[in-house]
């Protein structure tokens, strides 16, 4: 379905418009000027998302976009003579109206999924299961919000036999709007979690809200154990699984096996069947049962489903960024492949500034008809890739149509066989393939080997947290982000790329070397260096890094250095000490400071800043206020003496949360970005997860001792698990002898004996645990820090560099 501008506009409540070309064809909806693909055929929505989308109209126009949906009246439209403009009251609503209109033209079944957990995995599994005999459209990754759902509906077309759309809500009243867009014919409710976790007053309220998705659905598929029945819309029927007599699919028996699989026995219409799945955790089993029940509901026979279920695998859902051999970055996204998720992955590849060269390894896709083939070609033609390696016969049609070099392999085996002969170095490589091509085998060969303890960093969560803080700030306030100490332990350019892509204003590092590393990996944002000393002045100049100046000694040395190199207006940042008493000029120094600065054309003061010592501590409210006042007064004197305005900043994370009066022209975001909210006021997502594995489990009698110096005395017959993390990884010795708690399969266990250098021991007597199980080292960072009388900052930055970092996105 292709719409003309004319047809589209009649579907939105347009107040007035400038129509340039009513017959212009629209294929794509755009809202982010960094992600425009087919500019001439895009309709740009100026959403007030994180930033005001109206500010990106100029950029989008420059790229060739000629149609805009806007809400602001004061636009300089004369600058865009070839563009059409449509004014609406609410741009997001207009986009949703359009999505709704498009959805209504789709006459095949739409399955809507919601619930607290498991939505995405159930969606992915169902797609996988149904794909054997149907063409299935699924909303990409977690596009489940007000915006995401609208965008994903836009890609529906009659090429598909059915659609599976995920809906997620975080606030009351959101679901009604999603329901009117998705209009599911069949609903799936996965489960319901703890009430506080999602911003609802009570569990009942939460269920009631989620069930609104099914207002017009004929049937809802769900587990019976949560009591969803009481919330069922009037005309909707339920199709359930569970242990009760009234369940449509009755679960007779679930048995966990030693090898990490489970055998499940069910009855459906008097027929009993047993099948095996490669999981033991409750959540995965519930998700499998949801899929099974859905397929039975859709009329598949038990027999035909069982053999399909056996093929399900725990899905590594998210795209991962790993360090590769030969100085490569490997983006591993090897479990699904369709056009929507390919575009998301390509956008992520584009963010990677650390290498100029970019390679795409792409497998064939399921169900590419002529139209989709053309679309894929279009997407690939627009990428700035240095080469593409194709796997699978059906992609041959692309052979001589692409501007970049390409290689073709008929199968993954053939690629693996030839891999040693392909030169792969100093580049970013996106590996994108559907399950059946098991391109993860290629990724394994390209990724550097590791110690088994890893720190997983969720870049989507980081982006979420960035948006959460940004949404608190007025648009005029600039954002400086602290990436010192290896971004609080979570990475260097990997994190900075994301920040640069999200257009923060400044980065700050602790040492010049950290700044140099960022520059060498393509980061071109302004970078402030905290407390530099004379030996690094040369690198500041070479790498365009901007020093914090905190004393007369360092100021004078810098002026001498710059004068010798005939530099003018070198940017510096003045630190005022308003109470931390660490570094900085005291307010009493300001007059003399002005004298020195005024006589030094070598430098230019870009910003002046100070640091709040207790912005999150109510006991010291008065002191914080004094700091702000003293700072403001000092800057006034400084500006008067300098004769030009400077940017002022004093608020760190706690300052952003608690002191809106201290925002001034810029704020400095630190720990909050990394997911730690000391005051519990923000809805942040966890960014870092330190994980290890159980290497060995042994049964020991009462009276035995564990570890050095026999510190861990067992008072009962015990099961003791050895895990591969020790104080050399950053797990403090102070966690020994029961002080530390880790989580295995969702249950907490304590340490036994003292912590060794590379390992430690846990008491797993009371829980289900197996060798090779995953272990979460810090289940609750704030609580874990308290246990050894420290703060989360210290735990994060102490995670040793030998612990491999893995980055997830999406
Ligand atoms: C580290 C640091 C910050 C960030 O502090 P958070 O508490 O992590 O937000 C801000 N300003 C300066 C000068 C810092 O050194």
């Amino acid at each position: 379905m292709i719409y003309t501008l004319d047809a589209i506009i009649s579907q939105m409540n347009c107040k007035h418009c400038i129509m340039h070309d009513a017959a212009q064809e629209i294929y794509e909806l755009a809202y982010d000027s960094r992600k425009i693909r087919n500019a001439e055929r895009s309709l740009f929505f100026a959403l007030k998302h994180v930033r005001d989308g109206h500010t990106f109209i100029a950029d989008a126009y420059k790229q060739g976009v000629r149609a805009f949906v806007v809400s602001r009246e004061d636009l300089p439209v004369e600058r865009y003579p070839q563009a059409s403009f449509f004014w609406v009251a609410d741009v997001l609503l207009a986009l949703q109206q359009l999505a709704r209109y498009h959805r209504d033209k789709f006459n095949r079944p739409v399955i809507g999924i919601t619930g607290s957990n498991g939505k995405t995995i159930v969606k992915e599994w169902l797609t996988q299961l149904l794909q054997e005999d149907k063409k299935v459209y699924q909303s990409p990754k977690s596009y489940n919000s007000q915006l995401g759902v609208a965008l994903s509906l836009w890609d529906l077309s009659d090429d598909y036999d059915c659609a599976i759309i995920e809906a997620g809500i975080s606030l009351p009243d959101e679901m009604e709007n999603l329901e009117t867009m998705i209009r599911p014919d069949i609903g799936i409710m996965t489960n319901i979690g703890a009430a506080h976790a999602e911003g609802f007053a009570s569990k009942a309220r939460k269920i009631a809200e989620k069930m609104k998705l099914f207002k017009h659905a004929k049937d809802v598929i769900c587990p019976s154990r949560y009591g969803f029945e009481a919330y069922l819309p009037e005309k909707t029927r339920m199709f359930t699984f569970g242990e009760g007599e009234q369940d449509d699919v009755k679960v007779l028996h679930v048995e966990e096996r030693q090898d990490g699989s489970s055998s499940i026995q069910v009855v459906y219409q008097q027929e009993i069947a047993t099948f095996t799945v490669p999981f033991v955790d409750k959540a995965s089993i519930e998700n499998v049962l949801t899929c099974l029940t859905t397929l039975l509901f859709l009329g598949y026979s038990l027999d035909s489903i069982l053999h399909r279920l056996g093929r399900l695998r725990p899905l590594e859902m998210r795209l991962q960024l790993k360090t590769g051999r030969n100085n490569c970055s490997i983006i591993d996204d090897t479990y699904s492949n369709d056009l929507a998720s390919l575009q998301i992955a390509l956008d992520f590849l584009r963010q990677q500034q650390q290498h100029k060269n970019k390679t795409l390894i792409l497998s064939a896709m399921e169900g590419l008809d002529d139209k989709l083939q053309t679309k894929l070609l279009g997407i690939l033609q627009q990428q700035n890739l240095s080469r593409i390696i194709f796997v699978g016969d059906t992609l041959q049609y692309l052979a001589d149509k692409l501007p970049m070099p390409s290689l073709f392999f008929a199968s993954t085996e053939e690629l693996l066989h030839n891999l040693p002969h392909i030169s792969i170095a100093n580049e970013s490589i996106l590996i994108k393939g559907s399950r059946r091509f098991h391109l993860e085998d290629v990724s394994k060969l390209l990724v550097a080997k590791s110690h088994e303890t890893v720190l997983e960093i969720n870049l989507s969560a980081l982006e979420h947290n960035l948006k959460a803080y940004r949404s608190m700030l007025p648009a005029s306030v600039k954002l400086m982000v602290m990436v010192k100490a290896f971004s609080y332990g979570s990475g260097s350019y990997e994190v900075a790329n994301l920040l640069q892509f999200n257009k923060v204003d400044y980065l700050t590092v602790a040492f010049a070397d950290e700044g140099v590393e960022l520059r060498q990996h393509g980061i071109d944002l302004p970078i402030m260096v905290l407390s530099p000393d004379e030996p690094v002045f040369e690198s500041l100049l070479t790498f365009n890094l901007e020093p914090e100046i905190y004393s007369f000694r360092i100021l004078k040395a810098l002026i001498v250095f710059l004068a010798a190199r005939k530099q003018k207006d070198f940017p510096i940042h003045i630190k005022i000490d308003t109470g931390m008493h660490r570094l900085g000029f005291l307010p009493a120094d300001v007059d003399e400071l002005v004298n020195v600065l005024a006589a030094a054309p070598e430098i230019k003061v870009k910003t002046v800043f100070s640091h709040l010592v207790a912005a999150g501590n109510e006991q010291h409210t008065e002191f914080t206020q004094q700091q702000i006042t003293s700072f403001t007064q000092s800057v006034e004197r400084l500006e008067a003496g300098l004769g030009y305005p400077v940017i002022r900043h004093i608020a760190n994370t706690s300052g952003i949360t608690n002191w809106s009066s201290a925002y001034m022209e810029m704020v400095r975001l630190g720990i909050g970005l990394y997911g730690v909210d000391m005051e519990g006021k923000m809805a942040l997502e966890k960014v870092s997860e330190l994980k290890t594995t159980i290497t060995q489990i042994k049964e020991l009698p009462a009276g035995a001792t564990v570890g050095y110096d026999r510190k861990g005395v067992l008072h009962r017959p015990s099961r003791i698990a050895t895990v591969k993390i020790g104080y050399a990884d950053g797990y403090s010795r102070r966690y020994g002898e029961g002080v530390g708690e880790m989580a295995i399969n969702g249950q907490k266990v304590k340490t036994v004996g003292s912590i060794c250098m590379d390992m430690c021991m846990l008491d797993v007597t009371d829980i289900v645990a197996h060798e090779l199980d995953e272990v979460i080292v810090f289940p609750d960072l704030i609580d874990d820090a308290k246990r050894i009388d420290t703060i989360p900052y210290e735990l994060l930055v102490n995670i040793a560099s030998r612990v491999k970092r893995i980055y997830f996105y999406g």
Side-chain angles (χ1 to χ4, degrees), residues 600-764:
E602 292 81 8
I603 50 174
K604 169 103 185 190
V605 179
K606 268 179 95 173
T607 83
V608 179
F609 71 110
S610 187
H611 199 24
L612 295 175
V613 306
N617 188 333
E618 282 176 14
Q619 271 180 14
H620 299 298
T621 300
E622 210 174 308
F623 190 82
T624 303
Q625 190 55 58
Q626 276 170 26
Q627 280 196 283
I628 297 171
T629 311
S630 153
F631 176 62
T632 317
Q633 289 168 353
S634 298
V635 186
E636 268 170 28
R637 282 156 57 210
L638 201 74
E639 280 182 331
L642 288 174
Y644 56 82
V646 295
I647 292 173
R648 300 168 302 162
H649 45 114
I650 192 169
N652 62 343
T653 301
S654 288
I656 300 174
T657 325
N658 301 303
W659 289 88
S660 58
S661 62
Y663 290 172
M664 307 191 188
E665 288 78 44
M666 184 152 80
V667 295
R668 298 189 303 273
L669 178 61
I671 192 97
L673 179 70
Y674 306 101
V676 180
D677 173 18
M678 299 301 292
E679 292 105 39
K681 291 185 180 166
M682 304 280 298
L684 300 184
E685 290 180 3
K686 190 165 190 178
V687 171
S688 314
E689 190 81 274
L690 182 61
K691 288 182 172 174
T692 184
T693 44
I694 298 181
T695 309
Q696 190 176 24
I697 293 186
K698 39 179 83 90
E699 313 272 348
L700 297 170
T705 66
V706 176
Y708 284 117
D709 294 320
R710 309 193 65 197
K711 287 258 170 75
V713 182
L714 303 179
H715 299 291
R716 58 174 181 172
S718 306
R719 291 179 81 220
I720 300 299
T722 303
V723 296
K724 277 207 177 158
I725 183 164
Y727 56 83
D729 298 294
Y731 193 66
S732 171
R733 282 194 82 245
R734 287 174 288 167
Y735 280 119
E737 296 168 69
V739 175
E741 271 190 4
M742 300 190 194
I744 300 170
N745 301 324
Q747 287 151 302
K748 295 219 179 139
V749 292
K750 287 192 177 353
T751 59
V752 197
S754 50
I755 307 297
C756 309
M757 188 186 286
D758 309 302
M759 282 175 265
C760 64
M761 278 67 88
L762 301 171
D763 183 347
V764 297

Side-chain angles (χ1 to χ4, degrees), residues 126 129-130 132 239 249 266 268 271 273-277 288-312:
L126 265 183
L129 294 166
L130 290 169
E132 299 198 7
F239 193 79
V249 178
V266 296
Y268 178 60
E271 197 184 336
T274 306
F275 61 104
T276 303
V277 289
V288 169
L289 285 166
T290 302
C291 293
L292 167 80
T293 308
T294 306
L295 263 67
L296 288 171
F297 174 81
L298 293 174
Y300 289 86
S301 70
L302 254 183
D303 228 26
S304 72
I305 300 170
L306 296 189
H307 87 270
R308 295 184 191 200
L309 286 178
R311 270 180 252 154
L312 289 182

